[in-house]
């Protein structure tokens, strides 16, 4: 009969062995508790600030809601402002930025919900230096520059930190440097831009001045992207999975599935490593913790379904 210490060691080794044999990379720790006064709609995006406050953007009212680091509801704003709430990011100064692909604009809010700026023209889509058509996402460079996934125009638009147009690249299409739907963005420490080219079932990688670097595929239809350390995470909303790629584009992990996720969209991670996933169909934000010790395994993704319109 094993003594308590020996038994404890044996159980620990068995647990680690289980991880290595195929336990999911992330384990759910539950769902964000949304207060009753929030009328939920399709859950689109999440973002975390430097103090681990969580911001959630959904297609109900109020569309932008805020929680403290412990998950307690703080505030909500934006009623009647959005047509199709979609992307959500926080800049280096703590301002909250959103994309609205229904009325074609970016909005910049203070932490208290004051509308500070609107970029583009409300309800007027266009394809020029002052207009967007259905912008889906945005990210910020180390210099404060803004990159916008202008999905309706099939382009990436680069703005200065002052919000003024600098340059653009891309068109609608299937060739290198073109996009079916420039749906999600991510940026790494070297300011490389990763574009979820949904519909073309690939991620394209560019320099900050729009120079093509690489094209990665083999994992279905990317919706949202997130750089975490030396990995790129891609949510695949058609088959309800999360894929992890290394910086060469090789698939090193995959997890989730329809029993775990209900159309994973945009993602964020806090300082403690808690991953938040906005689930469109689930109308929820699910929280996950990474299981250390899971070995990288190249996976063969299931054949994706036809492109969903989310």
């Amino acid at each position: 009969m094993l003594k308590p210490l020996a038994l404890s060691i044996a159980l620990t080794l068995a647990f680690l062995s289980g991880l290595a044999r195929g336990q999911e990379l992330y384990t759910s720790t539950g769902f964000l508790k949304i207060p009753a006064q929030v009328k939920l709609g399709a859950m689109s995006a999440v973002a975390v600030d430097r103090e681990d406050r969580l911001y959630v953007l959904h297609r109900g009212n109020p569309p932008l809601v805020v929680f403290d680091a412990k998950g307690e509801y703080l505030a909500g704003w934006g009623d009647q402002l959005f047509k199709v709430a979609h992307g959500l990011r926080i800049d280096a100064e703590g301002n909250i930025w959103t994309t609205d692909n229904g009325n074609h604009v970016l909005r910049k809010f203070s932490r208290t919900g004051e509308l500070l700026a609107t970029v583009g023209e409300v309800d007027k889509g266009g394809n020029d230096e002052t207009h967007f058509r259905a912008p889906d996402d945005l990210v910020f460079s180390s210099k404060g520059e803004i990159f916008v996934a202008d999905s309706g125009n099939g382009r990436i638009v680069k703005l200065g930190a002052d919000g003024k147009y600098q340059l653009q690249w891309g068109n609608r299409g299937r060739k290198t440097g073109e996009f079916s739907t420039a749906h999600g963005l991510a940026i790494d420490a070297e300011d490389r831009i990763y574009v979820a080219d949904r519909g073309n079932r690939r991620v394209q990688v560019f320099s900050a001045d729009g120079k093509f670097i690489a094209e990665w595929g083999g994992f279905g239809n990317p919706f949202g992207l997130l750089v975490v350390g030396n990995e790129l995470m891609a949510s695949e909303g058609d088959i309800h999975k999360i894929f992890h790629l290394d910086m060469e584009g090789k698939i090193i992990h995959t997890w989730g599935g329809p029993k775990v996720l209900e159309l994973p969209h945009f993602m964020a991670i806090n300082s403690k490593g808690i991953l938040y996933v906005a689930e469109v169909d689930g109308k929820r934000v699910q929280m996950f913790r990474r299981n250390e010790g899971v070995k990288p395994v190249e996976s063969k993704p299931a054949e994706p379904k036809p492109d969903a319109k989310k």
Side-chain angles (χ1 to χ4, degrees):
M1 184 174 179
L2 290 174
K3 294 182 178 180
L5 178 59
L7 178 60
S8 176
I9 293 172
L11 290 173
T12 300
L13 291 174
F15 172 73
L16 293 175
S17 176
L19 290 181
R21 286 197 305 269
Q23 181 177 348
E24 293 274 46
L25 183 64
Y26 277 86
T27 297
S28 176
T29 62
F31 302 94
L32 184 68
K33 294 181 180 179
I34 309 294
Q37 65 261 40
V38 176
K39 184 179 179 181
L40 280 176
M43 200 68 70
S44 190
V46 284
V48 177
D49 70 12
R50 286 174 293 184
E51 297 177 23
D52 279 346
R53 277 185 295 262
L54 176 67
Y55 297 79
V56 177
L57 187 67
H58 68 110
R59 296 167 196 166
N61 281 304
L64 214 167
V65 289
V66 191
F67 300 82
D68 67 17
K70 295 180 180 179
E72 297 295 325
Y73 178 74
L74 296 176
W77 65 77
D79 285 13
Q80 311 305 318
L81 192 60
F82 291 83
K83 186 172 287 185
V84 183
H86 203 272
L88 173 67
R89 302 285 181 171
I90 299 173
D91 66 22
E93 296 177 351
N95 299 304
I96 298 92
W97 290 74
T98 62
T99 68
D100 187 332
N101 72 5
N103 59 22
H104 314 294
V105 296
L106 318 179
R107 294 186 180 91
K108 177 183 178 182
F109 298 94
S110 71
R111 286 176 49 178
T112 57
E114 178 186 359
L115 180 60
L116 302 176
T118 300
V119 185
E121 188 173 353
V122 175
D123 290 330
K124 188 174 182 179
N127 189 3
D128 56 36
E129 296 184 5
T130 60
H131 292 85
F132 305 102
R133 181 171 283 112
D136 274 351
D137 199 7
L138 73 162
V139 290
F140 303 96
S141 75
S142 60
K143 299 176 182 178
E145 301 153 329
I146 307 165
F147 295 85
V148 182
D150 189 17
S151 67
N153 289 316
R155 64 177 181 169
I156 305 301
V157 179
K158 181 180 180 179
L159 308 175
D162 57 1
K164 294 183 179 180
Y165 175 93
Q166 290 189 353
L167 58 88
Q168 69 180 62
W169 69 88
N171 293 289
R172 297 296 296 270
R174 303 184 66 84
K175 297 178 181 178
T176 297
E178 296 180 339
F179 309 101
S180 172
T181 302
H183 186 266
L185 296 177
I187 190 167
D188 66 18
E190 297 181 20
D191 286 341
R192 287 181 294 241
I193 310 299
Y194 301 82
V195 183
D197 187 6
R198 202 185 78 182
N200 284 334
R201 297 189 171 109
R202 64 187 178 185
V203 169
Q204 296 194 68
V205 189
F206 301 89
S207 67
D209 59 2
K211 181 180 178 181
F212 176 80
I213 296 174
E215 175 184 320
W216 301 338
F219 47 84
N221 222 6
F223 281 58
L225 301 176
L226 180 67
V227 172
V228 180
N230 293 319
E231 297 178 2
L232 176 70
M233 298 177 64
S235 63
E236 214 290 17
D238 290 339
I239 58 173
H240 314 285
K241 285 192 172 186
I242 308 291
F243 288 84
H244 294 243
L245 290 74
D246 65 17
M247 290 295 106
E248 300 297 323
K250 178 184 176 183
I251 299 169
I252 54 175
H253 294 290
T254 180
W255 56 276
K259 292 183 179 180
V260 178
L261 297 164
E262 296 183 17
L263 208 166
H265 204 238
F266 291 162
M267 305 167 285
I269 196 163
N270 72 8
S271 66
K272 296 180 174 63
I274 298 297
L275 175 70
Y276 298 94
V277 180
E279 301 178 50
V280 176
D281 287 352
K283 294 184 180 180
R284 65 194 189 188
V285 174
Q286 192 166 178
M287 301 171 287
F288 296 88
R289 184 177 294 279
R290 186 165 179 142
N291 295 312
E292 300 301 332
V294 179
K295 294 181 179 180
V297 177
E298 185 167 350
S299 303
K300 294 181 180 179
E303 185 66 23
K305 300 175 183 178
D307 186 27
K309 295 181 181 179
K310 299 293 181 181

